[in-house]
Amino acid sequence: MKAVQFSDHGGRDVLEYGEFPDPDIGPDEVLVDVKAASLNHLDIWTRRGLPGLDLEMPHIPGSDMAGVVTEVGDRVTRFEAGDRVALLAGVADGGDEFSRKGDPTLAPDYRVIGEHMRGVHAEFAAVPEANLVPVPEDVPWEVAGSAPLVLQTAWRMLIHRGELRPGEKVLVLGASGGVGHAAVQIADYAGAEVYATASTEEKLEYARECGADHVINYEAESFSKKVYEMTDGRGVDMVVDHIGEETYKDSLRSLTKGGRIVTCGATTGPDPGAGLNYIFWNQLSVIGSTMATPGQADEVLELVWDGTFEPRIRETLPMSEISRAHELIEERQGFGKVVVIPDSEL
């Protein structure tokens, strides 16, 4: 088969799309003929090389995909050849924490397909049965291959970890990215008053289309000062911040007393300084979140399959143009998700 791969960490020049051995499936695994996949920011970090990341090289990246089951292992019971499926990338080996009733994200051995282990940006992927969900016949491959990671991440952040309530004010930073544009839609669905930041007027207009009530161009003005002005000095109840060092202090300043930050990432760095003076004086909470449980993913994906939520696609490319796909994410070009399709499917 052909697959996206790299043998060394580095810039986009380490990426190639070429021959790779066909995957073998284990007794609990399913072989999927990949029809569409998509990128997330973690693909950039994996390619660059996260501290402590120890990958088998060459590595296939990718944590989102959808396709058709072609073969199942001896112990697989939920799927059979011909089924349409999509990936849930979080893996925790063994015990109740790997069941669909537990919370694998809290397991000590929690890993992510594509980040800590071989990914799915390839013509075929061998995936544990527990990491697949069925996809209805009427759902386009681009939607199924780009929705799961960002929608489940944003859903858990806002609904389960952040406990967002109707009527609250929520600020979503980086609303043009995958998690950001998902969070805007979810906050609007939950009945919140939604504030969103982006870097261009075009991106801000897309954020409005996704459900933002108020938008802020963070390149033109301080978002915390603008939030203070827009809320008559009150601040917002929740900030969705997946950016990190560059935004953290302004995120704290944007909160009302008793407010909370929910975070699932730190793309500009992990060590912004605690801001303890803001936290204790204003009685703020900083809440971490990552991915979702299978049950939480099922909740939000039902709302994707019925059209309530829609992953916006900024561009669809053949996998052979993977360097361009990484550039779109890395340089923050466009709004929403970048989809890649095996060249053999085009």
Side-chain angles (χ1 to χ4, degrees), residues 151-193:
L151 265 299
Q152 68 170 303
T153 298
W155 182 259
R156 178 181 171 98
M157 286 176 74
L158 274 71
I159 303 303
H160 290 276
R161 296 286 289 145
E163 299 181 343
L164 184 62
R165 295 180 292 273
E168 288 194 306
K169 300 178 188 293
V170 57
L171 170 64
V172 178
L173 304 186
S176 65
V179 170
H181 91 291
V184 169
Q185 293 181 63
I186 291 167
D188 179 54
Y189 173 82
E193 185 175 355

Short mmCIF file of all heavy atoms in Angstrom, two decimals, residues 151-193:
data_model
loop_
_atom_site.label_atom_id
_atom_site.label_comp_id
_atom_site.label_asym_id
_atom_site.label_seq_id
_atom_site.Cartn_x
_atom_site.Cartn_y
_atom_site.Cartn_z
N LEU A 151 -14.56 17.15 17.28
CA LEU A 151 -15.88 17.26 17.89
C LEU A 151 -15.92 16.58 19.25
O LEU A 151 -16.49 17.12 20.21
CB LEU A 151 -16.94 16.70 16.95
CG LEU A 151 -17.68 17.67 16.03
CD1 LEU A 151 -18.45 18.72 16.81
CD2 LEU A 151 -16.77 18.32 15.02
N GLN A 152 -15.32 15.39 19.38
CA GLN A 152 -15.34 14.74 20.69
C GLN A 152 -14.52 15.54 21.69
O GLN A 152 -14.90 15.66 22.87
CB GLN A 152 -14.82 13.30 20.60
CG GLN A 152 -13.35 13.17 20.27
CD GLN A 152 -12.83 11.75 20.42
OE1 GLN A 152 -12.93 11.16 21.49
NE2 GLN A 152 -12.27 11.20 19.36
N THR A 153 -13.39 16.12 21.25
CA THR A 153 -12.55 16.92 22.15
C THR A 153 -13.30 18.14 22.65
O THR A 153 -13.33 18.44 23.86
CB THR A 153 -11.26 17.33 21.44
OG1 THR A 153 -10.52 16.16 21.08
CG2 THR A 153 -10.40 18.21 22.33
N ALA A 154 -13.93 18.88 21.74
CA ALA A 154 -14.65 20.08 22.12
C ALA A 154 -15.89 19.75 22.96
O ALA A 154 -16.22 20.47 23.92
CB ALA A 154 -15.05 20.87 20.88
N TRP A 155 -16.56 18.66 22.64
CA TRP A 155 -17.77 18.25 23.38
C TRP A 155 -17.42 17.95 24.84
O TRP A 155 -18.08 18.41 25.77
CB TRP A 155 -18.38 17.04 22.71
CG TRP A 155 -19.66 16.54 23.33
CD1 TRP A 155 -19.79 15.46 24.17
CD2 TRP A 155 -20.99 17.06 23.14
NE1 TRP A 155 -21.11 15.28 24.51
CE2 TRP A 155 -21.87 16.25 23.90
CE3 TRP A 155 -21.51 18.13 22.41
CZ2 TRP A 155 -23.24 16.47 23.94
CZ3 TRP A 155 -22.88 18.36 22.45
CH2 TRP A 155 -23.73 17.54 23.20
N ARG A 156 -16.39 17.15 25.04
CA ARG A 156 -15.98 16.83 26.41
C ARG A 156 -15.56 18.09 27.16
O ARG A 156 -15.91 18.28 28.33
CB ARG A 156 -14.85 15.81 26.40
CG ARG A 156 -14.31 15.45 27.81
CD ARG A 156 -13.17 14.44 27.66
NE ARG A 156 -12.46 14.21 28.91
CZ ARG A 156 -12.68 13.18 29.74
NH1 ARG A 156 -13.62 12.31 29.45
NH2 ARG A 156 -11.96 13.02 30.83
N MET A 157 -14.77 18.96 26.50
CA MET A 157 -14.31 20.19 27.14
C MET A 157 -15.47 21.04 27.65
O MET A 157 -15.52 21.44 28.81
CB MET A 157 -13.49 21.03 26.15
CG MET A 157 -12.11 20.54 25.84
SD MET A 157 -11.37 21.59 24.57
CE MET A 157 -11.00 23.07 25.49
N LEU A 158 -16.40 21.33 26.77
CA LEU A 158 -17.45 22.28 27.09
C LEU A 158 -18.58 21.67 27.91
O LEU A 158 -19.03 22.26 28.90
CB LEU A 158 -18.02 22.91 25.81
CG LEU A 158 -17.26 24.12 25.28
CD1 LEU A 158 -15.91 23.70 24.69
CD2 LEU A 158 -18.08 24.84 24.20
N ILE A 159 -19.02 20.49 27.51
CA ILE A 159 -20.23 19.91 28.11
C ILE A 159 -19.92 19.10 29.36
O ILE A 159 -20.58 19.25 30.39
CB ILE A 159 -20.96 19.03 27.08
CG1 ILE A 159 -21.31 19.85 25.83
CG2 ILE A 159 -22.22 18.43 27.70
CD1 ILE A 159 -22.14 21.09 26.08
N HIS A 160 -18.90 18.24 29.32
CA HIS A 160 -18.64 17.34 30.44
C HIS A 160 -17.63 17.91 31.43
O HIS A 160 -17.87 17.84 32.65
CB HIS A 160 -18.18 15.98 29.92
CG HIS A 160 -19.27 15.22 29.23
ND1 HIS A 160 -20.17 14.44 29.91
CD2 HIS A 160 -19.63 15.14 27.91
CE1 HIS A 160 -21.03 13.90 29.06
NE2 HIS A 160 -20.72 14.31 27.85
N ARG A 161 -16.52 18.44 30.98
CA ARG A 161 -15.52 18.99 31.90
C ARG A 161 -15.89 20.41 32.32
O ARG A 161 -15.83 20.75 33.49
CB ARG A 161 -14.14 18.97 31.24
CG ARG A 161 -13.62 17.58 30.93
CD ARG A 161 -13.16 16.83 32.17
NE ARG A 161 -11.93 17.40 32.68
CZ ARG A 161 -11.64 17.48 33.99
NH1 ARG A 161 -12.50 17.05 34.89
NH2 ARG A 161 -10.48 17.99 34.38
N GLY A 162 -16.27 21.25 31.37
CA GLY A 162 -16.58 22.63 31.68
C GLY A 162 -17.99 22.86 32.19
O GLY A 162 -18.29 23.91 32.76
N GLU A 163 -18.89 21.88 31.98
CA GLU A 163 -20.29 21.96 32.43
C GLU A 163 -20.95 23.28 32.01
O GLU A 163 -21.56 23.99 32.81
CB GLU A 163 -20.38 21.76 33.95
CG GLU A 163 -19.87 20.39 34.39
CD GLU A 163 -19.97 20.17 35.89
OE1 GLU A 163 -20.13 21.18 36.63
OE2 GLU A 163 -19.89 19.02 36.32
N LEU A 164 -20.81 23.60 30.73
CA LEU A 164 -21.38 24.83 30.19
C LEU A 164 -22.90 24.82 30.32
O LEU A 164 -23.56 23.82 30.01
CB LEU A 164 -20.99 24.97 28.71
CG LEU A 164 -21.43 26.24 28.00
CD1 LEU A 164 -20.79 27.47 28.65
CD2 LEU A 164 -21.07 26.17 26.52
N ARG A 165 -23.45 25.95 30.77
CA ARG A 165 -24.88 26.05 31.00
C ARG A 165 -25.52 27.09 30.08
O ARG A 165 -24.86 28.06 29.69
CB ARG A 165 -25.15 26.43 32.46
CG ARG A 165 -24.71 25.36 33.45
CD ARG A 165 -24.98 25.77 34.89
NE ARG A 165 -24.14 26.89 35.31
CZ ARG A 165 -22.93 26.75 35.83
NH1 ARG A 165 -22.38 25.55 35.95
NH2 ARG A 165 -22.23 27.81 36.21
N PRO A 166 -26.80 26.91 29.74
CA PRO A 166 -27.49 27.89 28.89
C PRO A 166 -27.42 29.28 29.51
O PRO A 166 -27.55 29.44 30.73
CB PRO A 166 -28.93 27.37 28.85
CG PRO A 166 -28.83 25.91 29.13
CD PRO A 166 -27.68 25.77 30.09
N GLY A 167 -27.19 30.27 28.67
CA GLY A 167 -27.15 31.65 29.13
C GLY A 167 -25.78 32.13 29.56
O GLY A 167 -25.58 33.34 29.74
N GLU A 168 -24.82 31.22 29.73
CA GLU A 168 -23.47 31.64 30.10
C GLU A 168 -22.76 32.27 28.91
O GLU A 168 -23.10 32.02 27.75
CB GLU A 168 -22.66 30.46 30.63
CG GLU A 168 -23.10 29.98 32.00
CD GLU A 168 -22.09 29.05 32.63
OE1 GLU A 168 -21.71 28.04 31.99
OE2 GLU A 168 -21.68 29.32 33.78
N LYS A 169 -21.75 33.06 29.22
CA LYS A 169 -20.92 33.68 28.20
C LYS A 169 -19.64 32.85 28.05
O LYS A 169 -18.98 32.56 29.05
CB LYS A 169 -20.55 35.12 28.57
CG LYS A 169 -21.75 36.05 28.76
CD LYS A 169 -21.29 37.43 29.17
CE LYS A 169 -22.47 38.32 29.54
NZ LYS A 169 -23.31 38.63 28.36
N VAL A 170 -19.30 32.48 26.81
CA VAL A 170 -18.12 31.67 26.58
C VAL A 170 -17.29 32.29 25.47
O VAL A 170 -17.82 32.72 24.44
CB VAL A 170 -18.48 30.20 26.25
CG1 VAL A 170 -19.39 30.09 25.05
CG2 VAL A 170 -17.23 29.36 26.04
N LEU A 171 -15.98 32.36 25.70
CA LEU A 171 -15.03 32.89 24.72
C LEU A 171 -14.24 31.72 24.13
O LEU A 171 -13.60 30.97 24.87
CB LEU A 171 -14.08 33.88 25.39
CG LEU A 171 -12.87 34.35 24.57
CD1 LEU A 171 -13.31 35.15 23.35
CD2 LEU A 171 -11.92 35.18 25.44
N VAL A 172 -14.29 31.58 22.81
CA VAL A 172 -13.55 30.53 22.12
C VAL A 172 -12.38 31.17 21.39
O VAL A 172 -12.57 31.98 20.47
CB VAL A 172 -14.44 29.77 21.12
CG1 VAL A 172 -13.63 28.71 20.38
CG2 VAL A 172 -15.63 29.14 21.83
N LEU A 173 -11.17 30.81 21.79
CA LEU A 173 -9.98 31.32 21.12
C LEU A 173 -9.65 30.46 19.90
O LEU A 173 -9.90 29.26 19.88
CB LEU A 173 -8.79 31.32 22.08
CG LEU A 173 -8.96 32.08 23.39
CD1 LEU A 173 -7.65 32.11 24.16
CD2 LEU A 173 -9.47 33.50 23.14
N GLY A 174 -9.07 31.08 18.87
CA GLY A 174 -8.68 30.34 17.68
C GLY A 174 -9.85 29.64 17.03
O GLY A 174 -9.80 28.44 16.72
N ALA A 175 -10.92 30.40 16.77
CA ALA A 175 -12.16 29.80 16.28
C ALA A 175 -12.06 29.25 14.87
O ALA A 175 -12.95 28.54 14.41
CB ALA A 175 -13.30 30.82 16.35
N SER A 176 -10.97 29.56 14.16
CA SER A 176 -10.84 29.06 12.78
C SER A 176 -10.23 27.67 12.72
O SER A 176 -10.26 27.02 11.68
CB SER A 176 -9.98 30.01 11.95
OG SER A 176 -8.66 30.05 12.44
N GLY A 177 -9.67 27.18 13.83
CA GLY A 177 -9.04 25.87 13.84
C GLY A 177 -10.06 24.75 14.03
O GLY A 177 -11.26 24.99 14.20
N GLY A 178 -9.56 23.50 14.04
CA GLY A 178 -10.44 22.36 14.14
C GLY A 178 -11.24 22.34 15.43
O GLY A 178 -12.48 22.34 15.42
N VAL A 179 -10.56 22.35 16.58
CA VAL A 179 -11.25 22.35 17.86
C VAL A 179 -12.02 23.65 18.05
O VAL A 179 -13.14 23.65 18.57
CB VAL A 179 -10.25 22.13 19.02
CG1 VAL A 179 -10.91 22.37 20.37
CG2 VAL A 179 -9.70 20.70 18.96
N GLY A 180 -11.43 24.77 17.62
CA GLY A 180 -12.08 26.07 17.80
C GLY A 180 -13.43 26.16 17.11
O GLY A 180 -14.43 26.57 17.72
N HIS A 181 -13.49 25.76 15.84
CA HIS A 181 -14.76 25.90 15.13
C HIS A 181 -15.78 24.88 15.62
O HIS A 181 -16.99 25.12 15.58
CB HIS A 181 -14.55 25.84 13.62
CG HIS A 181 -14.65 24.50 12.99
ND1 HIS A 181 -13.72 23.51 13.19
CD2 HIS A 181 -15.56 23.99 12.12
CE1 HIS A 181 -14.05 22.44 12.47
NE2 HIS A 181 -15.16 22.70 11.83
N ALA A 182 -15.31 23.74 16.15
CA ALA A 182 -16.22 22.78 16.78
C ALA A 182 -16.77 23.35 18.08
O ALA A 182 -17.97 23.23 18.38
CB ALA A 182 -15.49 21.47 17.05
N ALA A 183 -15.91 24.02 18.87
CA ALA A 183 -16.33 24.58 20.15
C ALA A 183 -17.37 25.69 19.96
O ALA A 183 -18.30 25.82 20.76
CB ALA A 183 -15.12 25.11 20.92
N VAL A 184 -17.22 26.50 18.91
CA VAL A 184 -18.20 27.55 18.64
C VAL A 184 -19.58 26.92 18.40
O VAL A 184 -20.60 27.37 18.95
CB VAL A 184 -17.78 28.40 17.43
CG1 VAL A 184 -18.91 29.31 16.98
CG2 VAL A 184 -16.55 29.24 17.77
N GLN A 185 -19.63 25.88 17.58
CA GLN A 185 -20.90 25.23 17.28
C GLN A 185 -21.53 24.61 18.53
O GLN A 185 -22.74 24.73 18.77
CB GLN A 185 -20.70 24.14 16.23
CG GLN A 185 -20.30 24.69 14.86
CD GLN A 185 -20.13 23.58 13.83
OE1 GLN A 185 -21.08 22.87 13.50
NE2 GLN A 185 -18.92 23.43 13.32
N ILE A 186 -20.70 23.97 19.35
CA ILE A 186 -21.21 23.31 20.56
C ILE A 186 -21.70 24.34 21.58
O ILE A 186 -22.76 24.16 22.20
CB ILE A 186 -20.13 22.39 21.16
CG1 ILE A 186 -19.91 21.19 20.22
CG2 ILE A 186 -20.52 21.93 22.56
CD1 ILE A 186 -18.68 20.38 20.54
N ALA A 187 -20.95 25.43 21.74
CA ALA A 187 -21.37 26.47 22.68
C ALA A 187 -22.69 27.09 22.26
O ALA A 187 -23.58 27.34 23.09
CB ALA A 187 -20.28 27.54 22.79
N ASP A 188 -22.86 27.33 20.96
CA ASP A 188 -24.11 27.86 20.44
C ASP A 188 -25.25 26.87 20.68
O ASP A 188 -26.34 27.24 21.12
CB ASP A 188 -23.96 28.16 18.95
CG ASP A 188 -25.22 28.70 18.32
OD1 ASP A 188 -25.77 29.70 18.82
OD2 ASP A 188 -25.68 28.11 17.32
N TYR A 189 -25.00 25.59 20.42
CA TYR A 189 -26.00 24.54 20.63
C TYR A 189 -26.41 24.47 22.09
O TYR A 189 -27.59 24.21 22.41
CB TYR A 189 -25.41 23.21 20.16
CG TYR A 189 -26.24 22.00 20.46
CD1 TYR A 189 -27.30 21.62 19.65
CD2 TYR A 189 -25.94 21.18 21.56
CE1 TYR A 189 -28.05 20.48 19.92
CE2 TYR A 189 -26.68 20.05 21.84
CZ TYR A 189 -27.74 19.70 21.01
OH TYR A 189 -28.48 18.57 21.28
N ALA A 190 -25.45 24.69 23.01
CA ALA A 190 -25.73 24.60 24.44
C ALA A 190 -26.48 25.82 24.98
O ALA A 190 -26.84 25.84 26.16
CB ALA A 190 -24.43 24.43 25.22
N GLY A 191 -26.70 26.83 24.14
CA GLY A 191 -27.45 28.00 24.57
C GLY A 191 -26.62 29.09 25.20
O GLY A 191 -27.14 29.97 25.89
N ALA A 192 -25.30 29.05 24.96
CA ALA A 192 -24.42 30.08 25.51
C ALA A 192 -24.38 31.30 24.60
O ALA A 192 -24.75 31.23 23.42
CB ALA A 192 -23.01 29.52 25.69
N GLU A 193 -23.93 32.41 25.14
CA GLU A 193 -23.61 33.60 24.34
C GLU A 193 -22.14 33.46 23.95
O GLU A 193 -21.27 33.41 24.82
CB GLU A 193 -23.84 34.87 25.14
CG GLU A 193 -23.65 36.15 24.33
CD GLU A 193 -24.01 37.40 25.12
OE1 GLU A 193 -24.50 37.27 26.27
OE2 GLU A 193 -23.79 38.51 24.59
#
